[in-house]
């Protein structure tokens, strides 16, 4: 892996991942996300030549063609039934050379716009919710929305 390469948002935070082995390799992370939760795992990818990359949540897998242009790939839905944790991964084919950027896991069925997370932790100790109630509205089957108002001292 080589870091510090150009990415689709104009910075230099992409990684080049090369698989020189004789077998598919996984770039993965296991998290305490219960299998019943519907989440969306996404990443931006591109390749020096045409090929495919796999994106996985547990045993569910989507194979996506990769080319010279940046493309956002995703897998969405629940994980393994009854599981206390989930494993999210990119599957790099043998002999592949792929650039990867902006891996994002979200507790919703579709990805939101990429949010940079280069800042330290994102904890604002002098920030609080401005109200006591959180009103959640069902917008469609399996989809909800809410508005959160925060008050912060800078």
């Amino acid at each position: 892996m080589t870091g510090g390469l150009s990415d689709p948002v104009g910075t230099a935070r992409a990684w080049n991942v090369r698989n020189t082995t004789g077998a598919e390799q996984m770039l993965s992370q296991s998290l305490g996300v219960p299998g019943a939760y519907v989440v969306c795992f996404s990443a931006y990818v591109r390749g020096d030549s045409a090929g495919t990359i796999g994106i996985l949540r547990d045993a569910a897998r989507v194979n996506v063609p990769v080319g010279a242009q940046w493309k956002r790939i995703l897998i969405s839905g629940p994980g393994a039934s009854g599981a206390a944790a989930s494993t999210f991964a990119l599957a790099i084919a043998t002999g592949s050379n792929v650039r990867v950027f902006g891996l994002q896991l979200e507790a919703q069925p579709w990805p939101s716009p990429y949010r940079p997370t280069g800042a330290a932790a994102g904890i604002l100790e002098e920030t609080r919710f401005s109200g006591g109630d959180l009103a959640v509205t069902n917008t469609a089957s399996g989809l909800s929305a809410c508005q959160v108002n925060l008050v912060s001292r800078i």
Side-chain angles (χ1 to χ4, degrees):
M1 291 178 52
T2 306
L5 303 173
S6 64
D7 59 51
V9 297
T11 62
R13 292 179 287 158
W15 287 82
N16 190 66
V17 181
R18 176 176 282 188
N19 180 1
T20 58
T21 70
E24 180 178 79
Q25 295 292 307
M26 298 284 185
L27 178 62
S28 67
Q29 182 173 10
S30 294
L31 299 168
V33 177
Y37 286 18
V38 172
V39 299
C40 180
F41 172 49
S42 65
Y44 290 89
V45 296
R46 64 167 281 222
D48 292 336
S49 59
T52 60
I53 188 169
I55 186 166
L56 299 88
R57 178 181 184 186
D58 301 324
R61 178 180 179 138
V62 176
N63 290 318
V64 183
V66 176
Q69 300 298 316
W70 283 104
K71 173 188 227 177
R72 192 171 199 187
I73 63 173
L74 65 94
I75 189 165
S76 178
S81 179
S86 297
T87 299
F88 302 91
L90 295 177
I92 313 298
T94 186
S96 291
N97 190 37
V98 181
R99 284 200 185 175
V100 178
F101 170 75
L103 286 86
Q104 199 162 292
L105 179 65
E106 302 175 80
Q108 58 190 26
W110 300 105
S112 65
Y114 173 73
R115 300 207 193 310
T117 54
I123 297 172
L124 303 173
E125 293 180 8
E126 299 211 26
T127 300
R128 62 179 172 77
F129 292 104
S130 66
D133 295 329
L134 179 63
V136 178
T137 304
N138 293 321
T139 58
S141 178
L143 296 175
S144 300
C146 69
Q147 180 174 336
V148 177
N149 294 310
L150 303 173
V151 176
S152 185
R153 191 172 98 186
I154 299 176

